[in-house]
Amino acid sequence: MSESTSAPLPYAGIRVIEFTHMVMGPTCGMLLGDLGAEVIKVEPIAGDNTRRLLGSGAGFFPTFNRNKKSIALDLKKPEGVEAALRLIATADIVSENFKPGTMKKLGLDHESLSKLDPRLIYVSHKGFLPGPYDHRTALDEVVQMMGGLAYMTGRSGDPLRAGTSVNDIMGGMFGAIGAMAALRQRELTGKGCEVQSALFENNIFLVAQHMMQFAATGRAADPMPSRISAWGVYDVFTVKEGEQIFLAVVSDKQWAIFCKAFGLEEMLADPRLKTNNDRVLAREWMMPVLRSHLASRSAAELSAVFEQNELPFAPIAKPQDLFDDPHLNATGGLAPIRMNDGSQSKVPLMPFTLGGERPGIRLQPPLLGEHTSALLREVGYNDAQIAALKTHDIVTGD
C-alpha cells in the first residue's frame, strides 16, 4: 500500500500542523507531505466535512489528504485549543484556510503564534489577499467569474467555469511554494514569517497571458471557443462513427508531413496555404475541406498516422478513462488509495520526479482521529489525561 523513494525526501523532519478543509489548504499539506514532511491534520470532532461530500466533492478527501496524520480536537473548548497549542509548539509550519478572523478568535493566528515561536512559518490560504475584497466569501467559481477565467473558457456571452478546481488546487500549490521559500528564508535569517496565498490572485496569475495580449496588441483576447487560433490546424475533428479527436499542425514542416501522409498534395502546393499564417487566414475555407477529407477515417487510424509521423494529436478522454491509461500505469503515475468508504482505488501522484522517482504514498488518507492518542502522548499527555479528554468529547479517535 505504501511507496518509498530510495533517497531521503527533501522535507523529511519538517512538521506541519494544518487546520484545513475542502481543497485549497489540503492541497498545500498534501504537497509538503508528498515531499516528506510530517503533516498533522487537525479535524473537528465530527471530522472534516469533506469526508461526507457528495457529487463533485465525493473524491476530495482521498485526493488531497494522503501522507497525513489525523487528530480530532474540539477547538471550541479551551482544552482543545491547549492541545492544538502543544502540537504547534513542535511544528515548523502551521497551515490554515478558514474564514478571516476564525483563527484569531481561537488565538491561533499568526500574530499570536509568532510571539510564542518567532521561527514558526504560518501559511494562510484565503479568497483574497488583504485589500478591498478581503471581506468577501470566495469560491473557485466566484474568482473564475470575476477574474476573467470563466469569460475565457466559455463561449461568447456564456461564461463557464473551468472543468476542475483549478484555483483551489493551484492556490494550495502556491501556499506550499511560499512555505518552501519561507523555510529557506528562515535558514538565512533565523526567523519565520507569514505566507499568504489567495484564490483571486491565483486566478489573475492564470489569465495574465490574456491581459498581456491586450497590453501588447491593444486588442482584447477572445474567449477560447471563438478565438482566432495562432495555428492553421488546431481543432477537434468529428470522424468515423461520430468519434472525436484533436489534431494539430503547428509548423510549415508539420504541414508538409501532414499533407503527404493524407494524400493532400494539392493543398501542399496551394500558394494560399504556404505558411502557417497563410493557413490561419484561410481557415474559413480550408477547415471544411480537411474535415471532409478525414471524416471517413476512424480515430484510431488517425491516431496511428499522427503518432507515426510525430504530429500532435489527442483522443478525447473522460476523467474515468484515465484509470486505464497505459502511460500513467506504466510510469507509476497512479498509486493505490483508500477511499472514504474503505474501498480501494488509484489516485494520480505529483506530476514530477525526484531523481527519476515519483514521490509516493507513505500514509493513506487518515481515518478520523486515527493518530489522536499517539500525538497527544508525544506532546506530554498521559493515558489518564487522554481518556478524560475523550470522555468530555474534547478529542476523539484512536
Side-chain angles (χ1 to χ4, degrees), residues 69 135 153 292:
K69 299 177 179 179
H135 65 285
T153 303
S292 177

Side-chain angles (χ1 to χ4, degrees), residues 9 61 109 151 159 166 205 209 217 237 252 282 330 347 357 385:
L9 289 167
F61 192 85
D109 57 304
Y151 172 83
V166 59
F205 186 78
Q209 66 193 79
T217 68
F237 288 74
D252 297 337
V347 71
E357 296 186 48
Q385 290 171 320

Side-chain angles (χ1 to χ4, degrees), residues 216-288:
T217 68
R219 297 184 62 180
D222 290 320
M224 285 291 174
S226 58
R227 76 193 186 283
I228 298 175
S229 175
W231 317 114
V233 181
Y234 202 74
D235 295 80
V236 174
F237 288 74
T238 300
V239 293
K240 188 176 181 180
E241 297 181 355
E243 290 185 301
Q244 290 186 308
I245 185 170
F246 174 80
L247 304 175
V249 180
V250 298
S251 71
D252 297 337
K253 180 180 179 181
Q254 288 184 359
W255 175 247
I257 293 170
F258 168 74
C259 288
K260 291 174 183 178
F262 290 101
L264 293 166
E265 284 79 5
E266 288 187 10
M267 296 189 80
L268 178 59
D270 192 327
R272 297 173 298 172
L273 303 175
K274 183 176 182 180
T275 69
N276 176 71
N277 284 352
D278 290 331
R279 294 188 291 276
V280 169
L281 296 175
R283 278 177 57 85
E284 186 174 352
W285 66 265
M286 178 188 73
M287 289 306 301

